[in-house]
Amino acid sequence: MEFGAFIESVGGVIDVLGVVAIVVGVLYASLDAALRGVRRRSPIYTRFRRVLGRAILLGLELLVAADIIKTVAVTPTLESVGVLAIIVLIRTFLSWSLELEISGRWPWQKDAGSGDADAGAPAAAAPAAAAAAPATDLT
């Protein structure tokens, strides 16, 4: 198999993974919301939006990766790189918008509770951790 054809196939596989991530995320978020509704557990809507948004973000990241692989490695013409740049700009804007909707902060802003924005701990855990730590007065 020729290198270009192999890279094109890899890009196609990553494209499919991106679509699968979005579809599985939609199904999971819908099922989770339905079960929470039947069991009368809160929150339903905010959790649905957060789970769905994360699935879409993951899918978008995979689709951007596939586009980069296919464009740069297979057909690096000025026109194809320009089209890729436009696609990446649009998808990056969508990713940032989704991140703002999900977490209430921009992707480059750190989580107040931890040094890592993707630590997975809820922001509400930060005040409890701070209250548990002994206060030291440096004045």
Side-chain angles (χ1 to χ4, degrees):
M1 179 181 263
E2 181 184 318
F3 179 73
F6 174 73
I7 294 299
E8 184 74 29
S9 298
V10 169
V13 168
I14 296 174
D15 263 338
V16 169
L17 289 175
V19 172
V20 167
I22 293 172
V23 170
V24 168
V26 168
L27 293 175
Y28 175 78
S30 300
L31 181 63
D32 181 56
L35 290 175
R36 285 180 163 275
V38 168
R39 295 178 183 162
R40 306 227 186 264
R41 292 181 60 197
S42 292
I44 297 173
Y45 178 68
T46 56
R47 180 176 166 96
F48 174 77
R49 282 187 56 185
R50 187 176 65 242
V51 171
L52 181 61
R54 287 181 179 165
I56 293 170
L57 276 173
L58 177 62
L60 281 173
E61 294 297 331
L62 288 168
L63 291 170
V64 167
D67 286 340
I68 291 170
I69 289 170
K70 290 190 294 186
T71 302
V72 175
V74 176
T75 55
T77 65
L78 189 58
E79 182 181 346
S80 65
V81 172
V83 170
L84 174 65
I86 292 169
I87 290 170
V88 169
L89 279 174
I90 292 169
R91 289 185 179 168
T92 300
F93 174 76
L94 288 173
S95 295
W96 283 359
S97 299
L98 283 169
E99 181 67 30
L100 182 62
E101 283 289 321
I102 293 168
S103 66
R105 58 186 165 74
W106 291 106
W108 55 83
Q109 292 175 321
K110 292 195 183 245
D111 187 12
S114 68
D116 186 6
D118 293 328
T136 56
D137 188 13
L138 298 176
T139 57

